[in-house]
Amino acid sequence: SAPQNVSLAITDVDDEAPTITSEAIANPIAENSGAGQEIYTVTASDNVGIDSYAITGTDASAFTIDTNSGVVTLTGNPDFETQNSYTFEVTASDAAGNTSAPQNVSLTVTDVDDEAPVINSSNSANPIAENSGAGQEIYTVTASDNIGIDSYAITGTDASAFTIDTNTGVVTLTGNPDFEIQESYSFEVTASDAAGNTSAPQNVSLAITD
């Protein structure tokens, strides 16, 4: 026969995998800053567009990922003393089923002071005589803390009869003591540090002598 010319077209198929463009380090977070934090967002480039995101790796079980947006969320409340860093891997896939090389990501948890001060002053003030005068300094709160004491406070049964210097811890009886009206007082003092940690309350008693 006469020769028949035949043509065959080759259609293009996407075989180019996405490329992760987000950083390999997530922004550090402070311990005890709360569960459910969005700590990282995966971004990637691809010639036909990203279809989904996934997370794997060492600490992947501590996170969830939004497969559509790439947002990674830490499910628990971070605790430096339990775990001070996390690592995980993220990937991006396109509609043709091409998956990026995994991107290893690290997350650092920063240490925050969570140690409360400890009151080390006595649980009893030195007794005072009745009618010895108003405005007496009858007690001084002292406490220890790993970063230092920021303030002192007074509460408790007879707290209204006293004032406290929040900076020095000096407790003052505002009125003139009278044994026949009240022969003893009790109050509680606390110490707080700059991180907001407050000591256990220390109950203090003050005796009035007749």
Side-chain angles (χ1 to χ4, degrees):
S1 66
Q4 169 78 309
N5 191 57
V6 179
S7 62
L8 171 66
I10 308 299
T11 58
D12 192 17
V13 173
D14 175 45
D15 56 3
E16 185 178 326
T19 301
I20 302 288
T21 56
S22 46
E23 295 292 328
I25 300 175
N27 290 329
I29 58 173
E31 68 168 333
N32 303 319
S33 52
Q37 295 185 63
E38 296 180 357
I39 56 91
Y40 184 79
T41 299
V42 191
T43 58
S45 60
D46 186 71
N47 61 338
V48 296
I50 304 301
D51 188 61
S52 65
Y53 299 93
I55 187 170
T56 57
T58 306
D59 298 312
S61 61
F63 302 89
T64 60
I65 190 169
D66 187 311
T67 57
N68 295 313
S69 67
V71 171
V72 177
T73 301
L74 178 66
T75 56
N77 187 22
D79 183 351
F80 180 88
E81 284 71 32
T82 302
Q83 186 164 358
N84 58 22
S85 67
Y86 296 84
T87 61
F88 55 90
E89 292 181 345
V90 291
T91 54
S93 299
D94 62 21
N98 302 301
T99 299
S100 70
Q103 165 81 299
N104 191 66
V105 181
S106 61
L107 169 67
T108 299
V109 178
T110 58
D111 193 15
V112 172
D113 174 49
D114 54 7
E115 184 178 325
V118 175
I119 301 288
N120 46 43
S121 47
S122 173
N123 62 1
S124 62
N126 291 328
I128 58 173
E130 68 170 334
N131 302 319
S132 52
Q136 296 185 62
E137 296 180 358
I138 56 90
Y139 183 81
T140 300
V141 190
T142 60
S144 58
D145 185 72
N146 60 336
I147 61 170
I149 305 302
D150 188 62
S151 64
Y152 299 93
I154 188 169
T155 56
T157 305
D158 299 314
S160 61
F162 302 89
T163 60
I164 190 170
D165 187 312
T166 59
N167 295 314
T168 64
V170 171
V171 176
T172 301
L173 178 66
T174 56
N176 188 21
D178 185 342
F179 181 86
E180 283 68 36
I181 294 174
Q182 187 164 354
E183 61 189 49
S184 67
Y185 295 83
S186 69
F187 55 90
E188 291 182 344
V189 290
T190 55
S192 299
D193 62 22
N197 303 301
T198 300
S199 69
Q202 166 83 298
N203 187 261
V204 181
S205 61
L206 169 66
I208 308 300
T209 59
D210 190 12

